[in-house]
Amino acid sequence: MISLVLIVISAIIAAAAVVLACRFARWPTADLAAAAAGTLVAVIAWRVLANALFLNEDFMPAVSVGDAVCLIAGALPPAVVASVDRELPRRALPALAGGLVAFIANVIIL
């Protein structure tokens, strides 16, 4: 069982990475906020569900199903924002940052 504090910390780190990537990509503030908030909520929701479903056992060194799905939880919200607003520059960058940082933060922290 992973503590809620650690889950929230990893989600904040992933959301911060999305914010930085959105800033670098020069996304408007509304799109940036939606992508970052979505990543924050998705990572927290997934890790709480992974706790409830006991998906935190490592299937390979230092990686559990809970960690692996954080790739999707971190990347999906920015990808959805980018798919809704097709005029955004560098649309893939925030999704890549969110997914990779969510995965890495969850492997290291949790």
Side-chain angles (χ1 to χ4, degrees):
M1 192 68 104
I2 296 172
S3 77
L4 187 58
V5 171
L6 291 177
I7 290 170
V8 171
I9 290 169
S10 72
I12 290 169
I13 292 169
V18 170
V19 167
L20 291 174
C22 288
R23 284 270 189 228
F24 180 77
R26 299 181 193 265
W27 282 20
T29 304
D31 293 323
L32 178 152
T39 294
L40 180 76
V41 170
V43 171
I44 291 172
W46 166 246
R47 289 312 306 217
V48 168
L49 182 62
N51 265 351
L53 297 175
F54 304 104
L55 297 175
N56 297 320
E57 293 298 319
D58 293 349
F59 64 87
M60 59 186 284
V63 179
S64 69
V65 173
D67 297 330
V69 176
C70 282
L71 279 164
I72 297 168
L76 189 60
V80 169
V81 171
S83 69
V84 170
D85 187 354
R86 295 194 178 263
E87 299 297 317
L88 291 172
R90 301 181 184 131
R91 294 181 2 199
L93 184 62
L96 287 171
L100 291 175
V101 172
F103 174 72
I104 292 167
N106 277 274
V107 167
I108 292 172
I109 293 174
L110 309 178

